[in-house]
Amino acid sequence: MRADARRNRARLLDIAQQVFATEGLAVPIDEIAKRAGVGIGTVYRHFPTKEALFEAIVLDRIQRLTDLAANTATGDPGEAFFTYFRCMIEAGSVDKALFDTLAVSAGVDRDAILAASRALLTTLGELLTRAQAAGAVRPDITPADLKAIMAGALAMERQSGGEPGRMIDIVCAGLRAESEAPTRSESGRVTPSG
């Protein structure tokens, strides 16, 4: 792919992801083309159907999260784990809507999405293992637990209607090892100990 074609494709993915996140998945393709500053033909050259665009966004998001995990893995294991865990939940709202749409769509390469998702969970499991070895995360948490916890935290964030990030803070507090467990201040705010 030529450099300008790669730039156009990346721009389309970024704009489409932003539009779907803020306005929902019913936004027409021609509106995405307009906002990306390209013709509708350019969109269809890269993504022949709306489902193909959804699929590309999901795969791109998964790859970005996997790359982020690799970049955060070099620092403090506990901080890397909690930063990444929080990022995955915060990114999850639009991803869930896209996954739900793809689950019922024909012509989607589900094997590619499942493979990318498994690689992402493996990466999260590696960050978990490092954080547990460093004593930052409870030793009884498994990668399967994390998958369920993330789904629950995402649902809680959507339902709470309160302060953004509060539910994630509560979940992260529950994941911390006892020596790392947060304490409640006089004001009732949860703060890390130590």
Side-chain angles (χ1 to χ4, degrees), residues 134-159:
V137 175
R138 294 171 44 164
D140 60 335
I141 302 295
T142 68
D145 294 334
L146 278 183
K147 186 176 178 183
I149 290 167
M150 284 189 299
L154 180 57
M156 289 187 311
E157 278 292 324
R158 284 196 302 264
Q159 297 288 327

Side-chain angles (χ1 to χ4, degrees), residues 92-94 96-97 100 151-162 167:
S93 295
V94 72
K96 183 182 183 331
D100 289 349
L154 180 57
M156 289 187 311
E157 278 292 324
R158 284 196 302 264
Q159 297 288 327
S160 75
M167 295 296 115

Side-chain angles (χ1 to χ4, degrees), residues 7-38 43 46-47 49-58 60-61 64 94-95 97-98:
R7 281 192 302 274
N8 283 341
R9 184 178 192 284
R11 178 146 176 79
L12 281 167
L13 286 174
D14 285 341
I15 295 295
Q17 190 273 324
Q18 291 169 22
V19 169
F20 293 145
T22 58
E23 299 174 38
L25 300 175
V27 176
I29 295 282
D30 57 341
E31 180 61 24
I32 291 167
K34 178 179 163 187
R35 293 186 193 186
V38 299
V43 177
H46 291 286
F47 312 106
T49 64
K50 197 169 192 178
E51 288 77 17
L53 177 58
F54 291 161
E55 179 183 321
I57 291 169
V58 169
D60 182 63
R61 298 284 294 145
R64 286 182 188 203
V94 72
D95 296 345
L98 288 166

Side-chain angles (χ1 to χ4, degrees), residues 83-119:
T83 298
Y84 187 67
F85 181 79
R86 178 178 296 278
C87 179
M88 284 190 67
I89 294 171
E90 289 170 350
S93 295
V94 72
D95 296 345
K96 183 182 183 331
L98 288 166
F99 271 106
D100 289 349
T101 299
L102 289 177
V104 297
S105 300
V108 170
D109 187 352
R110 287 180 180 80
D111 291 338
I113 292 171
L114 287 173
S117 296
R118 278 193 295 270

Side-chain angles (χ1 to χ4, degrees), residues 156-190:
M156 289 187 311
E157 278 292 324
R158 284 196 302 264
Q159 297 288 327
S160 75
E163 179 185 334
R166 178 168 160 67
M167 295 296 115
I168 299 172
D169 289 343
I170 292 169
V171 170
C172 286
L175 289 171
R176 292 188 189 280
E178 284 190 36
S179 64
E180 295 286 323
T183 57
R184 200 168 285 280
S185 68
E186 293 289 326
S187 67
R189 183 150 179 91
V190 175

Side-chain angles (χ1 to χ4, degrees), residues 117-136:
S117 296
R118 278 193 295 270
L120 181 61
L121 287 174
T122 297
T123 302
L124 180 60
E126 291 166 0
L127 287 174
L128 172 65
T129 301
R130 288 183 63 236
Q132 287 171 321

